[in-house]
Amino acid sequence: MKFNASIKNQFCYGIDAVIMNPSKMKDSLIVIFAIVILTIFSGCSKQEINREVNGLEVKRPNILLIVADDMGYTDIGAFGGEIDTPNIDMLASSGLSFSNFHTAPMCAVTRAMLLSGNDNHIAGMGSQDLNSQAFGYEGHLTDRIVPLPALLQKAGYHTSMVGKWHLGTAPDHLPANKGFAQSFIIPEGVANHYSDKGWLARDPVSTYLENNEPVKWKEGDYSTDVYTSKIIEYIDNNKDSDKPFFAFAAYTSPHWPLQVDEAYWKKYEGKYRDGYEVLRQNRFTSLKKLGLIAESAELPDTHESVKPWSTLSADEKLIEERKMELYAGMVDNLDVNIGRIVDYLKQTNQFENTLIVFMSDNGAAANDFYYHPYFAEFLNANYTDAYAEMGKKDSFISYGPQWAEAGSAPFRYFKGYTTQGGITSPMLISGAMVKHKGTVTKTFTSLLDIAPTFYEYAQIDYPESFLGKEVYPLKGASMASLLEQKADFLHDANYVFAMEHRHNIVVRKGDWKLVNETKPFDPQNFALYNLAEDAGEQNNLKGEYPLVYQDMLAHWQTYKLESQVQFPTPSGVSK
């Protein structure tokens, strides 16, 4: 008689529930049945089904997924940054760092892929913030996939999340209906860090929900601090329940508006006096020293929207310095809060059996909506950009493409693009099951590989159908063998990764990359790069390698058909 791990696990938890509640055993037949089942599943413990790692049986781990919002590739110390991030760096030194990890170019799109293990169109987020009846553009997680927390919850995990949801606002689309037992979230993608003051005329007050019910934000409380306290509370609620946990900390930091307490940004006062071009070069040099990029790597050309530092006035330079000081303070505060979670896990003896994943959702953000024609009227009337108020709850500041380029070094461009600067993020994985300690892997990985990894450690077989409906298979692969030093790479040279968002496309196969960054969409604008030799995407090779180019175009067509890619227009989507 053979049972898969998830079925066996449900039996174990069911038997535990009966034994822990003797009053529910109303007659001897139930007792006899329980004894028989316990005999069959004598390997069941209260908390887990064991799996074998390096010859030893280990528990199903707790899983902690931490996602920073719009954090640049080089912002943390472990990836060449000057910002003080000892707690995040500790995860790097105690685990495996991924220097070739790929996200989607925008927040909601990444979240859809992350929580589904599938393409953003199949998951329902073909275009961020576009809600449509068309396949792939529904604006919420669809029934074509199984939400990651739903499957973990079904397998006996206690599931919780805090922070940014950004995957639909209707009741059926919120976390409580996607597998999270507990949640404290902002449904939308942007929020004031100190209050519920909105940033759009149509939503002048931001909504916060706890377990799908509206709650009031306490004025003056800081977002990252609140979300950390909540996720610790949720984990603590579960610590005596004999269930492993899955906790998703989806922070809104360091996403604009740049707001943080003075105690954090003051640490960086004067550090950015030399400007964004110098910071970009310094971080690029640090990456080489750390071995994260090749010695032969070169910085790509600067985005056309970036003004040279030397052309700014003295007052403009002061404002620019303060922007980066605030941003650094937000990353610093984020690190402190991650330290709070780690300390809690250690104090409660849960740290050793917790798989921790830290990542950013996309490249650094260049947006500056305070001056954008569509947003400016509301923002100018309700916020200020005055120098003396920068960083406070009524200020609305972004750091723009100039600092985003420094955060995206050594790559080209930033959030919104499918160039490397928009879709390459640092990822760190730590935990007792991770045999690497302080090492870096350059093997290609993506968002699609995270769900399969969690499923393997949770001993879950991904189903062919869910809630009576057929679902698409996972697109990634488990990283367990890589983490446990049983493999040196994850995907071979024939593996194809592809995605599209708002006319921006990427197709990866080995070292080759096909990319489009031009609107309106026209395949004639596709460019071909060899990232092993040109990580900055400066040398378009489609004319020199026509066979490779045709092969990559064929993969694009295959992907386009499978994912039913369409293209957004002001009135909806079109083929």
Side-chain angles (χ1 to χ4, degrees):
M1 189 174 186
K2 185 177 179 181
F3 294 84
N4 67 31
S6 61
I7 295 174
K8 183 179 178 184
N9 183 57
Q10 291 175 52
F11 267 101
C12 289
Y13 285 127
I15 296 306
D16 278 341
V18 173
I19 291 174
M20 296 301 290
N21 295 278
S23 62
K24 294 184 179 180
M25 296 185 181
K26 296 185 184 280
D27 54 53
S28 58
L29 288 176
I30 295 178
V31 177
I32 293 170
F33 175 74
I35 292 172
V36 170
I37 297 299
L38 275 174
T39 301
I40 294 172
F41 297 109
S42 57
C44 296
S45 72
K46 287 182 180 180
Q47 186 172 349
E48 78 292 318
I49 303 299
N50 290 347
R51 75 188 290 269
E52 190 174 290
V53 177
N54 293 340
L56 299 174
E57 283 194 345
V58 298
K59 297 177 180 179
R60 290 199 308 162
N62 303 312
I63 299 170
L64 172 61
L65 175 59
I66 304 171
V67 177
D69 199 354
D70 288 0
M71 192 190 78
Y73 186 76
T74 59
D75 284 337
I76 61 176
F79 275 67
E82 75 295 330
I83 302 172
D84 191 18
T85 56
N87 296 297
I88 299 172
D89 296 345
M90 179 277 295
L91 297 178
S93 63
S94 63
L96 184 62
S97 299
F98 293 73
S99 64
N100 195 15
F101 172 69
H102 291 68
T103 67
M106 297 284 278
C107 310
V109 190
T110 281
R111 283 159 172 74
M113 295 171 72
L114 182 64
L115 294 183
S116 69
N118 219 306
D119 175 65
N120 55 306
H121 296 81
I122 291 171
M125 198 62 64
S127 181
Q128 182 161 301
D129 300 325
L130 177 63
N131 301 307
S132 167
Q133 297 300 311
F135 180 104
Y137 297 86
E138 293 89 345
H140 59 82
L141 294 179
T142 70
D143 57 11
R144 294 187 291 272
I145 56 92
V146 184
L148 171 64
L151 214 48
L152 288 170
Q153 184 181 51
K154 187 177 180 183
Y157 273 72
H158 180 271
T159 55
S160 61
M161 82 157 288
V162 297
K164 178 169 168 175
W165 177 239
H166 212 184
L167 291 172
T169 58
D172 288 349
H173 306 150
L174 292 169
N177 292 306
K178 298 299 178 183
F180 284 109
Q182 293 182 288
S183 59
F184 181 90
I185 60 128
I186 179 165
E188 303 288 357
V190 181
N192 187 303
H193 293 285
Y194 283 110
S195 76
D196 61 1
K197 180 189 287 189
W199 70 290
L200 291 169
R202 70 171 185 264
D203 295 309
V205 178
S206 294
T207 300
Y208 287 88
L209 303 173
E210 185 161 25
N211 302 327
N212 282 25
E213 295 298 322
V215 290
K216 183 71 176 174
W217 186 269
K218 184 180 177 183
E219 187 81 11
D221 281 358
Y222 189 66
S223 63
T224 313
D225 300 338
V226 172
Y227 293 141
T228 301
S229 295
K230 272 294 178 183
I231 203 68
I232 290 174
E233 174 189 325
Y234 291 158
I235 296 171
D236 198 61
N237 289 344
N238 170 68
K239 73 177 187 300
D240 298 321
S241 71
D242 299 323
K243 288 185 176 183
F245 69 75
F246 168 57
F248 178 27
Y251 288 109
T252 54
S253 182
H255 194 293
W256 48 265
L258 303 183
Q259 299 168 326
V260 70
D261 289 358
E262 186 176 284
Y264 288 99
W265 71 257
K266 276 281 188 181
K267 291 172 59 176
Y268 301 94
E269 198 166 21
K271 272 188 177 270
Y272 303 106
R273 196 161 290 150
D274 293 331
Y276 33 77
E277 293 150 341
V278 171
L279 179 64
R280 186 180 188 226
Q281 181 62 57
N282 288 345
R283 290 190 176 185
F284 181 70
T285 301
S286 293
L287 287 168
K288 287 189 176 182
K289 289 179 179 178
L290 292 169
L292 290 167
I293 59 174
E295 277 294 328
S296 60
E298 297 180 0
L299 273 174
D301 294 338
T302 303
H303 193 276
E304 60 184 12
S305 63
V306 176
K307 297 179 181 178
W309 182 259
S310 61
T311 67
L312 304 184
S313 68
D315 287 344
E316 287 174 328
K317 288 179 179 179
L318 284 176
I319 291 170
E320 289 300 323
E321 285 180 57
R322 182 57 48 81
K323 288 179 181 179
M324 190 60 206
E325 291 164 3
L326 291 169
Y327 181 87
M330 292 179 76
V331 174
D332 190 308
N333 170 270
L334 174 63
D335 181 83
V336 168
N337 276 283
I338 289 172
R340 288 177 58 198
I341 303 176
V342 170
D343 287 346
Y344 163 78
L345 293 175
K346 289 180 176 178
Q347 291 164 10
T348 55
N349 298 315
Q350 298 181 83
F351 179 76
E352 286 300 320
N353 191 43
T354 301
L355 182 70
I356 302 176
V357 177
F358 171 82
M359 56 172 281
S360 178
D361 59 352
N362 42 244
N367 313 90
D368 195 349
F369 287 135
Y370 193 80
Y371 306 101
H372 189 285
Y374 181 78
F375 304 99
E377 182 177 358
F378 178 83
L379 292 178
N380 291 182
N382 291 276
Y383 289 90
T384 179
D385 68 341
Y387 181 76
E389 298 300 310
M390 288 175 70
K392 299 178 182 179
K393 68 181 180 68
D394 291 323
S395 71
F396 200 97
I397 302 296
S398 309
Y399 77 169
Q402 55 275 22
W403 294 109
E405 287 234 308
S408 294
F411 306 120
R412 186 162 64 107
Y413 300 165
F414 28 71
K415 176 182 177 179
Y417 290 97
T418 47
T419 56
Q420 291 298 93
I423 62 172
T424 310
S425 160
M427 181 171 70
L428 315 172
I429 303 184
S430 180
M433 59 293 298
V434 182
K435 300 308 173 187
H436 294 271
K437 303 299 176 186
T439 54
V440 177
T441 178
K442 297 181 180 180
T443 188
F444 176 85
T445 51
S446 80
L447 292 164
L448 302 177
D449 303 316
I450 292 177
T453 304
F454 291 171
Y455 291 145
E456 178 164 351
Y457 281 110
Q459 298 187 53
I460 294 172
D461 295 325
Y462 192 78
E464 294 181 358
S465 62
F466 189 72
L467 300 180
K469 295 187 177 181
E470 187 176 351
V471 294
Y472 281 71
L474 295 170
K475 283 187 169 291
S478 169
M479 295 180 281
S481 293
L482 190 66
L483 299 175
E484 295 166 14
Q485 294 185 326
K486 296 176 181 177
D488 296 325
F489 63 91
L490 186 61
H491 301 293
D492 64 25
N494 293 314
Y495 175 76
V496 176
F497 170 83
M499 74 157 298
E500 182 276 341
H501 179 252
R502 293 181 178 173
H503 301 214
N504 295 289
I505 73 106
V506 57
V507 179
R508 277 291 303 269
K509 184 178 181 182
D511 293 328
W512 291 102
K513 177 179 180 180
L514 189 72
V515 66
N516 176 70
E517 64 198 63
T518 306
K519 299 177 183 180
F521 179 83
D522 184 345
Q524 296 299 316
N525 294 321
F526 284 0
L528 179 70
Y529 300 106
N530 186 311
L531 297 182
E533 301 171 355
D534 180 24
E537 298 168 280
Q538 298 294 287
N539 187 18
N540 184 358
L541 299 175
K542 71 177 182 181
E544 295 180 43
Y545 293 88
L547 294 181
V548 174
Y549 181 60
Q550 290 303 316
D551 180 57
M552 297 295 276
L553 280 178
H555 290 305
W556 157 248
Q557 291 298 330
T558 298
Y559 164 79
K560 181 183 176 183
L561 289 173
E562 180 190 25
S563 298
Q564 299 187 35
V565 173
Q566 302 173 60
F567 296 104
T569 67
S571 60
V573 293
S574 62
K575 296 277 186 181

